[in-house]
Amino acid sequence: MGLKSLISSKKMLSLLAAVVLFGTNAVMAQDPTQDAGATTLNGVAKPSVWLGPGYYVLLFVIVCFVVGIIGKILRVYDLTQQIQNKKPINWHNVMGVCCIIFLVAGLYGAYWEFTVQGAMILPDAASEHGVKIDEMFWTTTVLTMIVFFVTQILLFGFLFRYRYNANRRGHFLPHNNTIEKVWTIAPAVVLTILVIFGFFTWQQITNTVDAKGEQASINVDITGHQFAWELRYPGSDGRLGATNYKLVSGTNKLGINYKDKFSYDDLQADTMYLPVRKSVKLNIHAQDVIHSVYMPHFRVQLNAVPGLPTFFKFKPTITTAEMQRKTGDPTFEYLVYCNKICGGAHYNMKKVVRVVEESEYQAWLAQQKPYLTDQVKKDLKFAEVKPAAQQNRLALNN
Ligand SMILES: [Cu+2]
């Protein structure tokens, strides 16, 4: 293509359009520090991650142009070589070298992922079963990484080593039962081992406490709704009262059944306090859509499904204070998140979890307010019963 026709071609018009688009983008772009989406980390404003669609379209167009131009230059070079009766470019060698470059860049990328992003991995599991989950995670990661590195090196290494050569004839291999068997059985065996390993780990996590008939030290109700978690702790009787979704109202947001005397002293809490080295049973509920209780530091996650109460038993082993020391971060807090994208303000669904010594836990518990407030008593027409029965002084009027 001559220079004249290149200038008058549609490509030049497209380039002009791209430059105009870029110009508009640059002129209209907001100052990142003024951007409402900008996040401040350690007091330094950072631009929001996403730029306008014009930027990405332009980037794509520019990349296409650059690739196209390099192709044209090489083609022109190739033709001039042929005209001068010189050896043309050996594209098989070029492709072979590209494969090696791709392999090296890809392996470096994988190494970068491990060192840079791998450093952001969660700290040590803060629960008893979490250690088993981590063992499973690392076994799977190491096995899959070995397979990944070996197969990628073989794949691109073979592409380079056996690139086209006019002096060599390829070997035609229509079928080989041994190879078929090896590449079917080997992954099947490895995957079966991993699945069985996972199955037994999950069984240990979910069944052990029940199988031994061992009761959890504390029961905590966690209820998800758009967009918050509500916590309910048992009072001095150590038992949670019954709930019924039909009883949910403005003042009784969890639908607690106050005909059940165990519910009188149920406590509400804003932070999830847990005593260290005591088994906790989280009773999981949802009121509207599917949410998911997610406590990554304890390796706990279970869906909260409306109409289907579930539970998760676990034993925290590291207090918040110990974890602050371990991570070197004095502001460290465990968190419980929602791990289902349950609506617009899903990101708001988180609460602080604080793992403390038993004495501190008891002191905290004593300060929490009961769900049975004066307003609820009024709404439900509760009457104070004379102190003859000291324990549960409240009874329903009807
Ligand atoms: Cu949610």
Side-chain angles (χ1 to χ4, degrees), residues 291 338 340 342 346 349:
H291 301 273
C338 174
K340 279 274 174 290
C342 55
H346 154 75
M349 286 189 71

mmCIF file of all heavy atoms in Angstrom, residues 291 338 340 342 346 349, ligand 1:
data_model
loop_
_atom_site.group_PDB
_atom_site.id
_atom_site.type_symbol
_atom_site.label_atom_id
_atom_site.label_comp_id
_atom_site.label_asym_id
_atom_site.label_seq_id
_atom_site.Cartn_x
_atom_site.Cartn_y
_atom_site.Cartn_z
ATOM 1 N N HIS A 291 -28.205 -14.866 51.788
ATOM 2 C CA HIS A 291 -26.975 -14.191 52.193
ATOM 3 C C HIS A 291 -25.950 -15.293 52.489
ATOM 4 O O HIS A 291 -26.265 -16.485 52.367
ATOM 5 C CB HIS A 291 -27.192 -13.328 53.436
ATOM 6 C CG HIS A 291 -28.227 -12.272 53.247
ATOM 7 N ND1 HIS A 291 -27.942 -11.035 52.729
ATOM 8 C CD2 HIS A 291 -29.559 -12.272 53.498
ATOM 9 C CE1 HIS A 291 -29.050 -10.315 52.664
ATOM 10 N NE2 HIS A 291 -30.046 -11.044 53.133
ATOM 11 N N CYS A 338 -20.925 -10.589 54.379
ATOM 12 C CA CYS A 338 -21.890 -11.342 53.577
ATOM 13 C C CYS A 338 -21.163 -11.678 52.286
ATOM 14 O O CYS A 338 -20.532 -10.829 51.682
ATOM 15 C CB CYS A 338 -23.130 -10.520 53.272
ATOM 16 S SG CYS A 338 -24.237 -11.375 52.137
ATOM 17 N N LYS A 340 -22.620 -13.230 49.580
ATOM 18 C CA LYS A 340 -23.514 -13.395 48.429
ATOM 19 C C LYS A 340 -23.871 -11.988 47.983
ATOM 20 O O LYS A 340 -24.194 -11.146 48.826
ATOM 21 C CB LYS A 340 -24.820 -14.100 48.829
ATOM 22 C CG LYS A 340 -24.735 -15.578 48.927
ATOM 23 C CD LYS A 340 -24.960 -16.250 47.587
ATOM 24 C CE LYS A 340 -24.724 -17.729 47.672
ATOM 25 N NZ LYS A 340 -23.309 -18.101 47.855
ATOM 26 N N CYS A 342 -26.148 -9.764 47.444
ATOM 27 C CA CYS A 342 -27.561 -9.867 47.790
ATOM 28 C C CYS A 342 -28.340 -8.596 47.487
ATOM 29 O O CYS A 342 -29.515 -8.518 47.784
ATOM 30 C CB CYS A 342 -27.680 -10.245 49.264
ATOM 31 S SG CYS A 342 -26.801 -9.103 50.332
ATOM 32 N N HIS A 346 -25.050 -4.536 49.534
ATOM 33 C CA HIS A 346 -24.446 -5.796 50.006
ATOM 34 C C HIS A 346 -23.142 -5.547 50.768
ATOM 35 O O HIS A 346 -22.865 -6.176 51.789
ATOM 36 C CB HIS A 346 -24.222 -6.679 48.782
ATOM 37 C CG HIS A 346 -23.136 -7.686 48.899
ATOM 38 N ND1 HIS A 346 -23.265 -8.826 49.633
ATOM 39 C CD2 HIS A 346 -21.888 -7.723 48.365
ATOM 40 C CE1 HIS A 346 -22.155 -9.525 49.547
ATOM 41 N NE2 HIS A 346 -21.297 -8.876 48.794
ATOM 42 N N MET A 349 -22.825 -5.187 54.584
ATOM 43 C CA MET A 349 -23.125 -6.286 55.510
ATOM 44 C C MET A 349 -21.860 -6.827 56.147
ATOM 45 O O MET A 349 -21.330 -7.857 55.726
ATOM 46 C CB MET A 349 -23.860 -7.403 54.771
ATOM 47 C CG MET A 349 -25.298 -7.044 54.480
ATOM 48 S SD MET A 349 -26.236 -8.418 53.843
ATOM 49 C CE MET A 349 -26.399 -9.482 55.255
HETATM 50 CU CU CU B 1 -26.137 -10.274 52.023
#
